[in-house]
Amino acid sequence: MNDYPTPALYIDGNWIGSGSAGSRPVVNPADGSVLAALPLAGEEELDLAAAAAQRGFERWRTTPAHARHELIGRATRLLRSRAEAIARIMTLEQGKPLAESRREVLLSAEIIDFLAEEGRRAYGRLVPPRSQAVFAQAVTRVPIGPAALFTPWNFPMNLPARKVGAALAAGCSAILKPAEETPGSAMELVRAFHDAGLPPGVLNLVCGDPAQVSSRLIAHPAIRKVSFTGSIPVGKHLGELCARGVKRYTAELGGHAPVLVLSDADAAQVARLSVAAKYRNAGQVCTAPTRFLVHRSLFEPFVAAFVAGARALRVGNGLAPESEMGPLAHARRLGEMEALVEDAAACGARLACGGRRLPGPGYFFEPTVLIDVPESARILREEPFGPIAVINAWDDLDAAITQANALPYGLAAYLFTRDLALAHGVSGRIEAGMVGINHFGVSQPETPFGGVKESGYGSESGQEGLAAYLDTKLTSFGGIY
Ligand code: NAD
């Protein structure tokens, strides 16, 4: 049974079932079947969305923070009550196992609730004046303005939730452009706000040709803030577009996370945690651990436990309860995985398990482990964004840290050791926006999520996530009149 909703654009409080740029199919990655036709916005609808977001902003910015919080809370209660149905839509369009989809919907509600609470605490301050002619200098934090939000297909609700939640909690209006591969989950997020009574224009949703949508919206005078999650080349390009209009920009551009396993770690336990973290969402996670740098004394037991865990994973349709890893999100990823494995093998790496696409319909790829991978291999420079782990041995900690820092990426990094003093010293030398010591859970609603170097700038979630949608304003009250 196809429970997939009929896709539509959402502009100024109205669902619009067709777009002036035609349509494209939404495909189920588990079997290649077409789920629905997605209407694509052309310039006409994009301009309408920008104008609606401008009107929505005028209304929403003057809505008291408490009232905003109450309305957002109504939307998150709806999300929770619909979690089961939305999880199914997410698995149909993206492929991840149903349990992961369910967790994502509930986590999205948590993220939005946290940000809405923070919205009530966007305090300013009073600065003592220098002169008797001034009786107060008030520093307040005000919403930046209409925001254009671009999200990818790997977390079809969580990533929109971080951006939409922060924008609305801060008093901004927004136009969300989710990935065209996975519009259904984002539509359900928007539907929850619509049903909760969000005024027209405050939140809008468009899909289209990504390059056309982003260039049109970012150049539009109504748009004052842009947030993007995706690849480094696209992130750089959007940064350039933002610079032309001096628009505030947040960029979350992926990573290539190193995992340093020190000689005192428990090889089997770290391998068990690592397999779960590596193959979650078929490895299509920007914080996914990928470059395992293991002390030589633990290398063999670590590889043995890791490979056993990877081989034991049950790969299949995300709707089947026994599936632990679903397909890749779209067909392009399969070719990318094959090319990375072939290149690594040609460079002299050893394939410890996996390495092939699975036969039959759908975009399934085996959980893959490459060991002893030489630095010349592409996979040691390019984010695989799929179910491939690299495990290499090291003898010298300084050299291992240098290797961990060798790439332009700097999103997440992980470190396993029982020696907390050493962990403190090593984590201080790791160039990453987030360092997980003895665990992989660095993404929480309350904690800032963001990278350094080419992994982007700015943070989402946490207090910082809200601050990204606020400007600082000084109002100075003279005492003459
Ligand atoms: P892609 O670059 O075609 O698309 C990535 C995302 O960016 C998609 O959501 C797409 O709609 C959007 N996009 C592309 N061009 C755009 C533009 N000009 N303006 C606005 N949005 C645009 O690549 P892909 O094949 O889908 O994925 C390839 C790579 O993207 C992955 O290897 C990974 O490195 C990166 N990626 C990163 C994340 C992340 O969470 N950081 C998520 C998805 C993909």
Side-chain angles (χ1 to χ4, degrees):
M1 193 175 71
N2 183 355
D3 304 328
Y4 200 77
T6 303
L9 311 173
Y10 181 73
I11 298 173
D12 210 10
N14 299 306
W15 293 101
I16 302 167
S18 64
S20 63
S23 69
R24 60 170 276 174
V26 181
V27 173
N28 181 342
D31 58 14
S33 65
V34 173
L35 293 166
L38 172 68
L40 303 178
E43 290 183 354
E44 187 188 317
E45 292 91 357
L46 296 175
D47 290 349
L48 283 174
Q54 181 65 55
R55 289 192 299 276
F57 177 57
E58 298 309 331
R59 191 162 171 184
W60 192 238
R61 73 193 295 191
T62 53
T63 302
H66 274 68
R68 291 201 294 255
H69 170 261
E70 200 178 302
L71 194 146
I72 294 172
R74 280 207 293 278
T76 53
R77 282 195 290 282
L78 287 173
L79 277 183
R80 289 191 176 90
S81 71
R82 298 169 181 176
E84 208 51 49
I86 300 176
R88 202 177 152 80
I89 292 168
M90 190 182 297
T91 293
L92 280 170
E93 67 182 6
Q94 202 271 350
K96 64 181 70 178
L98 206 48
E100 286 185 32
S101 297
R102 204 177 286 127
R103 276 199 298 277
E104 182 170 338
V105 178
L106 297 176
L107 181 64
S108 300
E110 290 265 326
I111 290 169
I112 297 169
D113 278 345
F114 175 83
L115 290 161
E117 285 289 338
E118 286 301 294
R120 297 201 299 179
R121 294 188 277 269
Y123 303 132
R125 68 187 191 277
L126 285 177
V127 180
R130 288 183 163 229
S131 136
Q132 284 182 333
V134 175
F135 68 86
Q137 301 180 113
V139 179
T140 51
R141 297 162 81 202
V142 296
I144 295 176
L149 312 174
F150 301 93
T151 54
W153 39 260
N154 53 337
F155 289 100
M157 183 170 277
N158 177 318
L159 298 176
R162 287 180 186 176
K163 297 183 198 299
V164 168
L168 298 192
C172 296
S173 60
I175 304 172
L176 171 64
K177 190 206 82 64
E180 284 63 30
E181 288 88 351
T182 56
S185 309
M187 275 174 49
E188 293 309 309
L189 178 69
V190 170
R191 196 186 315 283
F193 281 102
H194 175 87
D195 293 348
L198 192 72
V202 178
L203 178 59
N204 306 273
L205 178 146
V206 296
C207 286
D209 171 63
Q212 228 172 47
V213 176
S214 56
S215 60
R216 186 81 182 179
L217 287 183
I218 295 173
H220 198 286
I223 299 299
R224 298 305 323 156
K225 161 82 193 180
V226 175
S227 181
F228 171 76
T229 299
S231 62
I232 289 178
V234 176
K236 285 181 178 173
H237 172 62
L238 298 199
E240 285 168 15
L241 297 181
C242 288
R244 287 181 201 163
V246 198
K247 307 209 171 175
R248 286 269 295 277
Y249 183 44
T250 302
E252 199 276 89
L253 307 181
H256 201 319
V259 184
L260 281 168
V261 184
L262 273 50
S263 60
D264 65 347
D266 178 331
Q269 198 190 9
V270 179
R272 188 175 50 77
L273 292 175
S274 300
V275 166
K278 173 70 235 178
Y279 300 107
R280 180 170 75 99
N281 200 5
Q284 301 166 121
V285 182
C286 47
T287 54
T290 295
R291 294 179 291 143
F292 291 87
L293 305 170
V294 182
H295 188 262
R296 193 168 301 281
S297 64
L298 299 181
F299 185 69
E300 278 186 23
F302 183 83
V303 169
F306 196 110
V307 168
R311 284 210 175 109
L313 284 173
R314 283 170 295 196
V315 180
N317 188 320
L319 292 179
E322 66 277 10
S323 294
E324 293 170 310
M325 191 181 105
L328 301 183
H330 51 64
R332 297 193 300 281
R333 306 293 323 139
L334 278 179
E336 259 302 301
M337 294 305 107
E338 283 175 333
L340 285 171
V341 171
E342 272 168 33
D343 170 79
C347 290
R350 290 193 288 144
L351 185 63
C353 73
R356 288 169 310 174
R357 65 172 77 194
L358 293 171
Y363 316 134
F364 294 95
F365 198 82
E366 292 175 318
T368 298
V369 180
L370 290 164
I371 59 176
D372 295 331
V373 181
E375 271 178 38
S376 54
R378 265 177 60 207
I379 193 155
L380 278 183
R381 296 188 303 279
E382 294 172 28
E383 178 185 27
F385 220 68
I388 308 179
V390 169
I391 311 178
N392 279 353
W394 55 268
D395 300 291
D396 175 64
L397 182 57
D398 286 337
I401 294 171
T402 303
Q403 241 183 314
N405 289 337
L407 301 186
Y409 298 97
L411 189 63
Y414 308 96
L415 172 63
F416 286 85
T417 174
R418 291 194 174 98
D419 184 339
L420 275 187
L422 189 57
H424 178 69
V426 174
S427 65
R429 294 169 63 193
I430 300 274
E431 295 167 359
M434 296 167 283
V435 181
I437 295 169
N438 294 331
H439 79 135
F440 289 104
V442 293
S443 173
Q444 304 296 334
E446 305 79 11
T447 54
F449 184 102
V452 298
K453 297 160 81 177
E454 292 197 4
S455 285
Y457 49 79
S459 298
E460 302 198 291
S461 295
Q463 295 173 348
E464 292 80 359
L466 183 80
Y469 292 82
L470 292 168
D471 272 332
T472 299
K473 181 173 185 177
L474 169 73
T475 311
S476 185
F477 295 85
I480 292 170
Y481 297 105

